[in-house]
Amino acid sequence: MSNRAEALIDLTAIAANVNKLKATAGTDLMAVVKADAYGHGLVPVAKTAISAGANWLGVALIEEAHALRAAGITVPILAWLVPPGSDYAAAVDAQIDLAVPSLDVFKEIVATGKRARIHIEVDTGMTRGGFLEEWPDFLKSDFSNVEVVGIFSHFARADEVTEKQNQDQLANFNKAIADLAAVGVVPQLKHLSNSAAALTNQSAAFDLVRTGIAMYGLTPDLEHLGTSKSLGLLAAMEVRAKLHLVKKVPANSPVGYGATESTSRDTVLGVVAMGYADGIPRVAKAAGVFFDGKRCPIIGRVSMDQFVVDLGPETTAKAGDHVVIFNNGAAGEFTAEDWGLASSSINYEINTRIGPRVPRIYPHE
Ligand SMILES: *Cc1c(COP(=O)(O)O)cnc(C)c1O
């Protein structure tokens, strides 16, 4: 390993997860590759997902969709975070489908004078994106200058399978579809499910599932759906970093800024060449690294570019060796879920925050 830190991305795992999700949902699949494919690398992941059978790509930003087009990708792409003032004309020219969550956005898209491909976004109960109070007015719109490709919404609690809110959202979605049909608009595609719903709720699959986290081999919710492994998913990312220094220190040595912790015994500490600027959460307390078959805890505060771990007095580690920050946990390593728990967060945040200074390596390419 020559990099001081790197993220190894197993594209074969992503392909296997796409296959599994498509089979489970029994529908077409939109590979959600927003936020640099949850930190795994936008273009390599998009190409892998398409080869494995993904029919669509989904992104938050129009810029992300343009980057996919610039890489020569021709499958349909939907962008859903498209606030007023966005360059809708350029998006339409690049064959990027646009979410329409409000009258403002609809009017601006129509005003381009171009025939846009749109997916109408309805708020079915999450109270975030999509039409809510404007819906009756929107139904009175003139739809003749756009192509209504889809209607969609998003679950708030799909990971909590028995929550009534899921049934309510599904019912509200069906009602919105009926409202549209009543004004003569029948979208080709209806889509509602994220990863958690794709894995657990066939009745919400409609024509397309939009899967992000599960495609990367990670559980949508550790507490309610179990581990990635128990869901049959293969975690695709391994983050590892070099030990910059290895040093023997006596008991009671204060470690790091603020001297928040001290060594409890004579031991060997490792200085790991990664820090919060690379996405190691400063608040993570109960996490650590894996070296030579064992977990070594963080000691002291995480710094911007480095943090210290207690390798134990018997360690064989030397400077320049690498440690695993997280991976699929197969040998007892920390996982993205462990780091999420250790920082009062979730695997989604751990993966997407691995920073741009950490090169992504694709060993199976
Ligand atoms: C991010 C996102 C998804 C994917 O969610 P996962 O839980 O990662 O599967 C699907 N749809 C929308 C609208 C999203 O913003």
Side-chain angles (χ1 to χ4, degrees), residues 179-348:
D179 290 344
L180 262 189
V183 297
V185 179
V186 180
Q188 300 150 38
L189 294 175
K190 304 174 280 297
H191 46 106
L192 177 59
S193 290
N194 55 6
S195 291
L199 286 164
T200 61
N201 189 354
Q202 278 265 320
S203 67
F206 291 96
D207 304 304
L208 192 65
V209 293
R210 303 185 307 267
T211 53
I213 199 78
M215 192 176 76
Y216 303 102
L218 301 177
T219 178
D221 185 313
L222 189 59
E223 187 187 345
H224 298 101
L225 297 179
T227 61
S228 306
K229 201 176 163 198
S230 69
L231 291 168
L233 301 169
L234 304 173
M237 185 188 289
E238 170 170 301
V239 175
R240 50 195 211 168
K242 275 187 181 167
L243 293 170
H244 166 60
L245 290 172
V246 172
K247 54 172 66 167
K248 272 193 182 150
V249 299
N252 301 315
S253 304
V255 182
Y257 287 120
T260 54
E261 274 188 275
S262 297
T263 51
S264 58
R265 54 181 172 167
D266 294 356
T267 190
V268 178
L269 299 184
V271 181
V272 182
M274 234 183 133
Y276 60 75
D278 302 301
I280 300 294
R282 188 170 173 278
V283 294
K285 289 276 178 275
V289 303
F290 195 80
F291 179 80
D292 199 16
K294 73 176 177 62
R295 289 183 167 200
C296 309
I298 299 175
I299 178 164
R301 281 193 185 141
V302 173
S303 311
M304 190 182 294
D305 317 292
Q306 48 193 313
F307 66 97
V308 179
V309 295
D310 188 348
L311 296 165
E314 314 300 333
T315 189
T316 58
K318 7 180 239 327
D321 286 348
H322 76 260
V323 296
V324 174
I325 312 288
F326 64 81
N327 65 10
N328 59 17
E333 298 92 338
F334 289 94
T335 61
E337 287 80 40
D338 292 327
W339 278 91
L341 277 175
S343 48
S344 306
S345 183
I346 50 174
N347 52 15
Y348 289 76

Side-chain angles (χ1 to χ4, degrees), residues 21 62 80 128 227 279:
L21 287 165
I62 291 175
W80 53 71
R128 195 185 66 176
T227 61

